[in-house]
């Protein structure tokens, strides 16, 4: 089992070096390896991956699909070294994220929003101007909120 733990550490290191954040994968995949240890397995099988991914029972199917996807990608990595490793097929726990239909504000709603923003109070008296400008920019350009925020220069101490 130490081979799998070493392989997981290597996998996470390689993927992070390639620029992937892998915020949840490290924790989640270590839990998967503990599950394999409890089952006495020394390599990844589709059956065990599916058993683990569908736990706990009280969560929505997207949670299961995400867990299985994490295992699948790790299994692909591991299969290069251990031929016994089974890669769970895609579509085993099918789920597709469905984006909510965007709400499109009409001209009257935008006018009321801008008017309300112009009445915001703040100690430095900049909040009203800032929000009115921001909402006007969003409404007139179709930018996503992250785009105008990215236009604001940040001090070097805040950059990542």
């Amino acid at each position: 089992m130490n081979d799998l733990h070493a392989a997981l550490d290597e996998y996470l290191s390689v993927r992070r070096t390639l620029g992937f954040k892998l915020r949840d994968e490290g924790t989640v995949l270590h839990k998967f390896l503990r599950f394999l240890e409890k089952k006495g397995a020394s390599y990844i099988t589709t059956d065990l991956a599916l058993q683990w991914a569908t736990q706990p029972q009280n969560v929505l199917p997207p949670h299961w699909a995400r867990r299985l996807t994490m295992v699948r990608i790790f299994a692909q990595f591991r299969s290069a070294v251990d031929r016994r490793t089974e890669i769970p097929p895609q579509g085993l726990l099918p789920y597709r994220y469905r984006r909510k239909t965007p709400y499109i504000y009409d001209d009257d709603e935008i006018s009321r929003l801008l008017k309300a923003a112009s009445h915001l109070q703040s100690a430095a008296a900049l909040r009203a101007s800032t929000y009115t400008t921001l909402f006007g920019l969003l409404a007139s350009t179709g930018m996503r909120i992250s785009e105008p925020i990215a236009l604001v220069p940040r001090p070097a101490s805040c950059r990542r």
Side-chain angles (χ1 to χ4, degrees):
M1 187 51 74
N2 286 337
D3 287 346
L4 279 176
H5 285 284
L8 178 56
D9 291 340
E10 180 184 2
Y11 164 76
L12 294 171
S13 176
V14 167
R15 299 273 324 267
R16 286 179 177 136
T17 300
L18 293 172
F20 292 93
K21 299 279 188 239
L22 302 181
R23 291 185 181 105
D24 299 329
E25 283 80 349
T27 303
V28 171
L29 290 172
H30 279 291
K31 289 178 183 177
F32 173 63
L33 294 188
R34 285 194 293 276
F35 173 83
L36 291 180
E37 286 174 348
K38 288 179 185 173
K39 295 291 186 176
S42 59
Y43 57 94
I44 300 169
T45 67
T46 299
D47 183 52
L48 289 173
L50 190 57
Q51 283 179 39
W52 176 80
T54 55
Q55 297 175 1
Q57 293 294 314
N58 61 344
V59 298
L60 296 174
H63 180 77
W64 296 341
R66 179 158 161 66
R67 286 165 55 107
L68 187 60
T69 296
M70 290 181 203
V71 172
R72 180 183 307 107
I73 296 169
F74 173 56
Q76 288 171 338
F77 177 86
R78 181 65 181 154
S79 69
V81 176
D82 185 352
R83 290 186 214 177
R84 301 174 299 170
T85 301
E86 296 176 13
I87 302 169
Q90 289 193 6
L92 200 55
L93 293 176
Y95 174 77
R96 287 203 173 259
Y97 174 75
R98 291 191 177 94
R99 187 178 298 265
K100 292 181 181 178
T101 304
Y103 181 82
I104 308 296
Y105 289 86
D106 63 33
D107 291 343
D108 183 53
E109 290 172 311
I110 292 170
S111 295
R112 288 184 300 169
L113 180 62
L114 293 173
K115 185 176 181 180
S118 71
H119 292 19
L120 291 173
Q121 302 289 320
S122 69
L126 290 176
R127 180 177 287 165
S129 296
T130 301
Y131 278 96
T132 303
T133 302
L134 175 64
F135 294 150
L137 182 64
L138 292 171
S140 62
T141 64
M143 288 180 163
R144 290 170 278 191
I145 188 65
S146 62
E147 295 171 310
I149 290 173
L151 296 173
V152 178
R154 295 186 306 179
S157 61
C158 294
R159 294 184 192 139
R160 292 182 191 186

